[in-house]
Amino acid sequence: MPELERLAAHHAPAVLRFERENRTYFARYVPDRGDDFFTGYAARHAALLDEQERGTCHFHVLVGDHGVVLGRFNLVDVADGSAELGYRVAERAAGRGLAQEGVRRVCELARTEYGLRRLVASAAPANPASLAVLRRAGFVLDGSVSDCEVDLDGQPGLRHVLDLRAPYAAASP
């Protein structure tokens, strides 16, 4: 099983390769990051590490054989015991349960290592696999369907929440 690692400086080349190789695949489900993301990645990576050092975010990579990044699992906007979960898995790794396992592991870290009590995550209805991952991890809609509708960079999305103090649903398969 690939290892979930806290983002570090040495991950920069592998993360950039992951993002480049999967750019078209990711753009099918979420808005494209734009060319500037790739041309200025070294500064972006350094900024992420700075945010992580300050405790406002917790970034993780799922690393497979030979240091290849297979996924990213991030907790951002950490404040008042809460954070927002975001994740993406490489196209070649899709359908193997890695998104589910990565989300489960990050949720456990959020609870045990980072002391968080609540996570929020959003996914597009056009991405049923992502919605299924969230729901299998124990996330539920944040109110009625109309109450949980969010804008995901111009695309419709649904906001979900996970109470990390409740019996931990993400531990189940």
Side-chain angles (χ1 to χ4, degrees):
M1 177 56 90
E3 293 296 320
L4 186 68
E5 300 176 7
R6 190 163 169 88
L7 187 67
H10 74 272
H11 291 122
V15 171
L16 180 57
R17 186 170 36 257
F18 165 82
E19 292 290 347
R20 280 187 175 143
E21 289 174 356
N22 293 284
R23 185 176 184 179
T24 302
Y25 173 66
F26 294 149
R28 287 188 231 161
Y29 304 105
V30 294
D32 184 66
R33 295 182 186 265
D35 293 338
D36 289 345
F37 176 88
F38 299 94
T39 58
Y41 187 75
R44 173 75 180 132
H45 192 82
L48 293 175
L49 294 176
D50 184 54
E51 287 181 78
Q52 184 166 262
E53 182 67 27
R54 289 192 320 264
T56 58
C57 297
H58 302 288
F59 302 106
H60 306 85
V61 288
L62 191 64
V63 180
D65 294 336
H66 311 293
V68 173
V69 172
L70 299 172
R72 297 180 69 183
F73 299 84
N74 303 320
L75 300 170
V76 299
D77 298 333
V78 175
D80 301 322
S82 183
E84 185 167 340
L85 168 70
Y87 65 92
R88 52 182 53 203
V89 172
E91 182 174 25
R92 70 184 189 145
R96 298 182 3 209
L98 295 179
Q100 181 66 39
E101 181 61 19
V103 166
R104 186 196 65 74
R105 290 185 198 177
V106 167
C107 289
E108 184 64 18
L109 286 171
R111 188 176 63 80
T112 61
E113 298 295 319
Y114 309 137
L116 299 176
R117 298 179 305 277
R118 180 177 188 262
L119 295 180
V120 176
S122 298
N127 189 350
S130 188
L131 290 170
V133 165
L134 292 176
R135 291 177 181 155
R136 277 189 238 119
F139 282 82
V140 296
L141 288 174
D142 189 16
S144 68
V145 172
S146 61
D147 290 337
C148 66
E149 292 175 344
V150 295
D151 178 62
L152 299 174
D153 293 322
Q155 302 297 319
L158 297 172
R159 184 178 55 246
H160 293 72
V161 295
L162 176 65
D163 182 349
L164 294 169
R165 297 169 297 181
Y168 198 52
S172 60

